[in-house]
């Protein structure tokens, strides 16, 4: 399991110095606990209780500083102050250990989250389509935080606790070396082996349950996300109660599984404490039989405790690590997903395209089984405006989606100006294509920023010019802050037609030679559609355009129409030609004209 974490060691590189400093602070705290503490007890108690003499050098030093009548008190104060001193060292070491490790782990979390988020930006859409969005969010937020938590305790304890154990063992060996009578205590260490079994047992269970709990948390986030995105449907279909019950079921499942994780995690400590107590009991009996002194017994008991305590903490750490590992696996699912749409190793440079499109024997399947497009051969000249029509599910949107490489063809090739889109860089291909969809997405930000998405380096007056071309300037200027008006998430506060105009303004600003209009007016009423149609007609001028249409009104401007049926093109020509020669086209057209 640790090897999995080592894979992530590269995240430590940028913060290595701080990480080492944190470990050094941890080592200091460990030495103070494991060796310093029992040593102090062994040295201080005899001076206090049995009047044992302190080393002559120390005695001389104190004698030089105080009058002879105060000597006894000074010695007592000197030796007793060693105890708080050891704890001060331990405290300072622990503070910096935890503080610095926290900084390190937050930086690591930041980097893991950023990597996972960046990976999401490049993963093929086919992968994203298969996921529950809320679950992806949960992986980015909850799982990354869980890994961070695991890393903090691990990095903190995995060095400090074994070091405490080792230094405490060193003290025991030293003690046995000085006084072979105390060898009895070493027997106790055999009991440590007893502690291994519960650590392994509970660790395995915690890992399994943590994975399930994180999966459930993903389901909860997914349900909340879906709910918020569908408030209109939920209210209009009266689904509130059903939604609340669904949510309740999910949180109850999470509760149950989480409770099991908590149970296993916290059962470990009492079990390990019982083993510790057993060890001390045995020491007491054997010590009594062997007649060791009270001071020796106390020092040995402290050293023994310092052996068991790190073991107990290590056990807890290990169960935390197992839980973090479960989350790591869920993040890995993203990070390790192979890029099935890789960038060309040596991309063919593509400047501003003229706009010639060649679909050569193109077939495509979303799931690798059912062909959604089947052997399409279509050649589109620069500047041609092509309408795509056909029954629902016939493959029109898919046909257009292959162009900006939202998906790659399963077989055949798709060329822009003679260059296979897979041989050019994604950036070059996409900068040549503007896309206006049925539900344009407006991001949180000002109207100015939203239009500028079309071309990030556009000046303000270029943005305004694009808005004018899209006939959006009028309503924008009528808003309280004009172009600086903030839009909520998803662009709430604007009508469907207004949102569509912002999207058209974006496309004007981008000024790409190829345009895809995917049912751009389908969600508008007839009046809004008629108004927007004028701007769309202007937008397609001089560009190669693919217009996916349900309404024939939106392809009035098309000079050529492709008729799709079950993934094939069954008609290709002008309206007049198709109406005369293509029965499906005629049927679709007549049905809409009724
Ligand atoms: N992301 C996807 N994952 C899996 N299958 C998909 C996906 N998108 C579309 N499909 C399927 O591919 C087929 C073609 O869909 P497509 O959206 O291209 O058709 P369309 O002609 O544009 O339909 P409509 O007019 O209803 O929008 C349909 O059977 C659809 O169920």
């Amino acid at each position: 399991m640790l090897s999995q974490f080592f894979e992530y060691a590269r995240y430590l590189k940028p913060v290595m110095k701080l990480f080492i400093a944190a470990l050094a602070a941890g080592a200091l705290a460990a030495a103070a606990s494991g060796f310093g503490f029992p040593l102090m007890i062994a040295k201080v108690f005899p001076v206090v209780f049995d009047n044992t003499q302190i080393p002559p050098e120390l005695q001389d030093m104190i004698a030089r500083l105080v009058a002879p009548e105060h000597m006894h008190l000074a010695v007592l104060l000197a030796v007793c102050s060693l105890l708080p001193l050891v704890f001060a060292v331990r405290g300072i070491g622990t503070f910096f250990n935890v503080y610095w490790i926290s900084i390190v782990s937050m930086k690591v979390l930041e980097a893991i989250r950023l990597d996972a988020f960046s990976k999401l930006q490049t993963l093929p859409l086919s992968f994203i389509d298969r996921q529950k969005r809320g679950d992806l969010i949960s992986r980015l937020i909850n799982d990354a935080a869980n890994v961070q938590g695991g890393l903090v305790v691990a990095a903190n304890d995995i060095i400090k606790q074994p070091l405490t154990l080792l230094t405490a063992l060193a003290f025991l060996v030293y003690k046995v070396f000085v006084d072979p009578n105390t060898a009895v205590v070493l027997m106790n260490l055999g009991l440590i082996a007893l502690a291994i079994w519960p650590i392994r047992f509970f660790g395995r269970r915690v890992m399994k349950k943590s994975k399930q709990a994180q999966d459930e948390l993903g389901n909860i986030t997914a349900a909340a996300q879906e709910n918020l995105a569908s408030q209109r449907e939920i209210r209009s279909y009266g689904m509130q109660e059903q939604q609340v019950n669904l949510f309740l079921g999910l949180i109850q499942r999470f509760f149950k599984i989480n409770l099991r994780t908590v149970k296993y995690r916290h059962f470990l400590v009492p079990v390990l404490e019982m083993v510790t107590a057993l060890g001390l009991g045995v020491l007491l009996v054997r010590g009594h039989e062997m007649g060791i002194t009270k001071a020796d017994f106390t020092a040995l008991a402290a050293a023994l405790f310092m052996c068991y305590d790190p073991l107990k903490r290590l056990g807890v750490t290990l169960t935390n690590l197992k839980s973090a590992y479960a989350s790591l696996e869920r993040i890995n699912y993203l990070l390790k997903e192979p890029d099935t749409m890789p960038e060309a190793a040596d991309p063919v440079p593509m400047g501003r395209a003229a706009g010639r499109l060649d679909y050569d024997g193109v077939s495509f399947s979303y799931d690798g089984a059912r062909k959604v497009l089947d052997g399409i051969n279509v050649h589109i000249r620069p500047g041609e405006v092509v309408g795509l029509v056909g029954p629902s599910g016939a493959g029109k949107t898919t046909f257009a989606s292959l162009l900006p490489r939202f998906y790659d063809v399963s077989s055949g090739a798709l060329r822009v100006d003679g260059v296979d889109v897979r041989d050019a860089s994604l950036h070059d291909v996409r900068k040549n294509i503007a896309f206006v969809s049925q539900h344009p997405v407006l991001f949180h930000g000002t109207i100015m920023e939203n239009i500028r998405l079309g071309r990030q380096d556009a000046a303000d007056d270029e943005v305004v010019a694009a808005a004018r071309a899209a006939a959006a300037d009028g309503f924008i200027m009528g808003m309280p802050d004009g172009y600086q008006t903030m839009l909520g998430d998803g662009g709430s506060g604007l009508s469907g037609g207004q949102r569509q105009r912002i999207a058209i303004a974006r496309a004007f600003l981008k000024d790409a030679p190829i345009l895809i209009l995917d049912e751009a007016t389908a969600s508008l009423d007839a009046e809004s559609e008629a108004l927007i149609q004028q701007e769309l007609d202007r937008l397609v001028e001089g560009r190669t355009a693919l217009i996916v249409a349900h309404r024939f009104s939106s392809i009035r401007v098309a000079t050529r129409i492709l008729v799709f049926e079950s993934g094939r093109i069954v008609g290709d020509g002008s309206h007049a030609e198709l109406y005369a020669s293509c029965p499906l086209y005629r049927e679709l057209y007549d049905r809409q004209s009724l």
Side-chain angles (χ1 to χ4, degrees):
M1 181 188 77
L2 275 178
S3 63
Q4 282 277 349
F5 281 100
F6 284 136
E7 256 186 73
Y8 287 79
R10 71 196 143 94
Y11 287 111
L12 281 177
K13 243 185 180 170
V15 278
M16 197 43 109
K17 279 191 195 141
L18 197 60
F19 183 58
I20 291 173
L23 294 186
L28 187 69
S33 310
F35 198 88
F37 182 45
L39 186 71
M40 285 308 108
I41 292 179
K43 294 289 177 202
V44 173
F45 278 28
V47 175
V48 179
F49 295 113
D50 306 331
N51 274 331
T52 309
Q53 292 298 307
I54 57 172
E57 313 84 58
L58 199 60
Q59 190 118 28
D60 288 350
M61 222 168 78
I62 297 173
R64 258 182 265 131
L65 296 172
V66 297
E69 66 271 25
H70 297 134
M71 190 62 189
H72 181 67
L73 185 65
V75 167
L76 209 61
L77 281 178
V79 290
C80 288
S81 64
L82 287 177
L83 215 56
L85 193 72
V86 168
F87 272 85
V89 172
R90 180 180 134 119
I92 291 170
T94 303
F95 171 77
F96 281 104
N97 175 248
V98 173
Y99 182 61
W100 286 334
I101 282 287
S102 298
I103 298 179
V104 166
S105 70
M106 281 191 265
K107 291 263 177 207
V108 167
L109 171 72
E110 204 178 82
I112 291 182
R113 263 198 192 137
L114 194 65
D115 269 10
F117 190 73
S118 306
K119 178 85 189 212
L120 268 182
Q121 309 311 302
T122 57
L123 276 173
L125 281 183
S126 52
F127 173 81
I128 311 267
D129 289 344
R130 289 198 306 272
Q131 312 303 316
K132 281 184 267 181
R133 291 195 189 164
D135 186 54
L136 288 180
I137 294 171
S138 191
R139 284 171 205 261
L140 277 177
I141 308 295
N142 301 326
D143 286 295
N146 207 24
V147 171
Q148 183 214 12
L151 286 180
V152 178
V153 282
N156 183 19
D157 278 347
I158 278 217
I159 301 292
K160 202 168 87 185
Q161 300 308 340
L163 264 177
T164 307
L165 176 68
L166 278 179
T167 46
L169 280 176
F171 174 79
L172 288 174
V173 171
Y174 156 81
K175 205 58 196 141
V176 171
F177 181 73
V178 178
D179 179 6
N181 221 8
T182 54
V184 55
V185 81
L186 290 183
M187 279 171 43
N188 272 15
L189 295 178
L191 283 172
I192 287 179
L194 268 186
I196 307 291
W197 180 80
I199 291 176
R200 284 175 61 92
F201 176 83
F202 290 112
R204 269 202 298 268
R205 268 160 186 72
V206 165
M207 181 157 107
K208 194 166 148 219
K209 291 296 156 197
S210 291
K211 171 93 176 18
Q212 286 175 4
Q214 291 300 116
D215 284 345
E216 285 303 329
L217 204 55
N219 288 338
I220 291 176
T221 320
Q225 200 260 351
E226 190 178 84
N227 177 283
L228 289 175
S230 341
Q231 278 296 310
R232 278 180 180 71
E233 288 76 3
I234 288 167
R235 284 162 202 236
S236 59
Y237 289 110
M239 292 162 65
Q240 289 95 328
E241 203 182 319
Q242 177 256 6
Q243 285 284 300
V244 170
N245 287 336
L246 187 93
F247 200 70
L248 178 67
L250 286 173
I251 53 178
Q252 280 176 339
R253 269 227 307 271
F254 176 68
F255 176 87
K256 258 193 212 154
I257 293 173
N258 210 20
L259 196 62
R260 272 186 219 146
T261 321
V262 172
K263 188 173 75 186
Y264 290 131
R265 207 177 269 201
H266 295 283
F267 209 61
L268 180 66
V269 171
V271 169
L272 289 177
E273 276 175 354
M274 265 152 52
V275 174
T276 315
L278 193 66
L280 288 178
V282 171
L283 176 67
L284 205 54
V285 173
R286 294 291 296 152
H288 178 71
E289 281 172 4
M290 311 284 296
I292 58 174
T293 66
K294 221 185 327 179
D296 269 349
F297 174 79
T298 320
L300 288 172
L304 258 187
F305 179 76
M306 288 300 174
C307 288
Y308 285 120
D309 191 56
L311 211 65
K312 180 178 82 184
R313 286 171 199 269
L314 268 180
V316 174
T317 299
L318 237 74
T319 51
N320 283 335
L321 263 184
K322 297 256 179 183
S323 156
Y325 177 63
S327 280
L328 198 57
E329 277 195 327
R330 281 173 46 85
I331 298 179
N332 252 341
Y333 175 71
L334 288 184
L335 291 174
K336 295 243 167 109
E337 175 67 22
D339 195 352
T340 50
M341 203 187 278
E343 283 274 17
D346 189 12
V348 179
M350 188 188 263
R352 185 178 171 88
R356 178 177 173 78
L357 310 179
D358 295 294
Y359 285 74
D360 290 320
V362 167
S363 294
F364 177 76
S365 163
Y366 283 102
D367 55 9
R370 187 171 66 94
K371 275 189 185 170
V372 169
L373 292 177
D374 191 3
I376 302 277
N377 283 296
V378 171
H379 306 285
I380 297 170
R381 290 191 309 278
E384 206 163 24
V385 178
V386 183
L388 313 178
V389 301
S392 184
K396 308 177 292 287
T397 297
T398 307
F399 176 85
S401 301
L402 297 179
L403 194 53
R405 286 190 75 193
F406 290 161
Y407 307 94
D408 267 345
V409 299
S410 305
S411 63
L414 168 52
R415 297 187 175 84
V416 173
D417 282 11
V419 178
D420 190 320
V421 287
R422 290 166 297 186
D423 294 337
S425 77
L426 275 171
H427 175 262
D428 278 1
V429 173
R430 290 178 183 167
K431 82 171 185 246
N432 274 298
I433 302 169
F435 181 71
V436 182
S437 74
Q438 183 175 354
H439 297 291
V441 173
L442 303 185
F443 293 89
H444 185 83
T446 63
I447 292 187
M448 180 72 87
E449 286 162 353
N450 262 288
I451 298 178
R452 191 173 274 128
L453 293 180
R455 186 157 51 84
Q456 297 288 355
D457 61 358
D460 283 3
D461 51 356
E462 290 178 289
V463 173
V464 173
R468 287 204 178 116
D473 186 61
F475 82 81
I476 294 173
M477 291 312 286
M479 297 181 91
D481 295 317
Y483 282 86
Q484 298 311 320
T485 305
M486 285 296 288
L487 298 179
D489 291 330
S492 49
L494 293 186
S495 72
Q498 289 171 333
R499 294 157 67 112
Q500 203 54 269
R501 283 183 196 283
I502 301 263
I504 294 169
R506 258 184 214 158
F508 267 114
L509 191 62
K510 184 162 184 179
D511 189 26
I514 302 167
L515 188 66
I516 299 174
L517 304 180
D518 191 357
E519 311 194 17
T521 55
S523 63
L524 303 181
D525 56 51
E527 196 183 340
S528 309
E529 187 198 354
L531 288 171
I532 280 199
Q533 200 57 55
Q534 296 169 16
E535 278 72 57
L536 285 176
D537 291 354
R538 261 212 312 279
L539 181 62
V540 299
E541 261 169 43
R543 306 176 208 272
T544 307
L546 299 181
I547 307 178
V548 182
H550 269 148
R551 296 186 191 166
F552 282 81
S553 49
S554 58
I555 51 165
R556 259 185 359 221
V557 67
T559 49
R560 178 179 173 190
I561 295 164
L562 302 177
V563 186
F564 284 76
E565 185 178 27
S566 306
R568 291 172 181 273
I569 293 179
V570 294
D572 180 353
S574 67
H575 166 72
E577 286 162 1
L578 289 171
Y579 195 79
S581 65
C582 178
L584 177 61
Y585 182 80
R586 196 176 329 123
E587 186 195 326
L588 290 169
Y589 188 85
D590 286 346
R591 205 188 301 157
Q592 211 164 87
S593 311
L594 283 178

